[in-house]
Every structure is written in C-alpha cells, then in structure tokens.
Amino acid sequence: MNAKELRTKDVAALEKELQELQKAHFSLRMQHATQQLQNTSQLQRTRRDIARVRTVLNQKVAAK
C-alpha cells in the first residue's frame, strides 16, 4: 500500500483501513510473543502502513 492509493480514499475509508491494520498488528505482536511468527518483517511493514494511513488521514483533516 502506498500513499498515492491512500489519498484517493475518503476519511471514513481511511479510518476503517487504520482499524484493520491495528487489529492485524496486534495479531502479529501476539504471534511474535508466542514464538509463532515466522516472518518478523511483517511487524515493521504493518507499523509503517499504520503510520502512512495516519499521515494521510491527518493531512485530509487539516485540509478541511
């Protein structure tokens, strides 16, 4: 997911995307804590996606 794709979405869709990413990140953290996560780079990827969504969301809110 890149910022260009996120900028085409509206605020409600971005909030929904953020919520889904946060749930996914929580799940990955639990898998990591219980030694079940094979690909640990997924944690970093979801964390960066969350930051990307928050950035675009804040830009849209500030533009109003």
Side-chain angles (χ1 to χ4, degrees):
M1 165 183 340
N2 58 23
K4 194 176 206 180
E5 294 172 1
L6 293 173
R7 286 190 181 98
T8 62
K9 296 183 179 184
D10 62 340
V11 174
L14 287 171
E15 289 173 348
K16 186 175 190 304
E17 184 75 27
L18 179 62
Q19 189 177 33
E20 290 173 3
L21 283 169
Q22 287 175 332
K23 286 181 182 179
H25 187 65
F26 178 78
S27 175
L28 289 171
R29 285 189 300 136
M30 291 301 111
Q31 288 177 19
H32 183 64
T34 59
Q35 305 293 322
Q36 295 175 349
L37 186 62
Q38 297 295 324
N39 188 1
T40 57
S41 67
Q42 291 175 328
L43 285 167
Q44 183 180 12
R45 202 171 332 126
T46 57
R47 195 170 59 243
R48 287 184 179 180
D49 284 343
I50 289 171
R52 221 174 264 122
V53 169
R54 284 184 176 163
T55 299
V56 172
L57 189 59
N58 285 336
Q59 287 173 349
K60 284 188 178 271
V61 169
K64 286 186 178 179

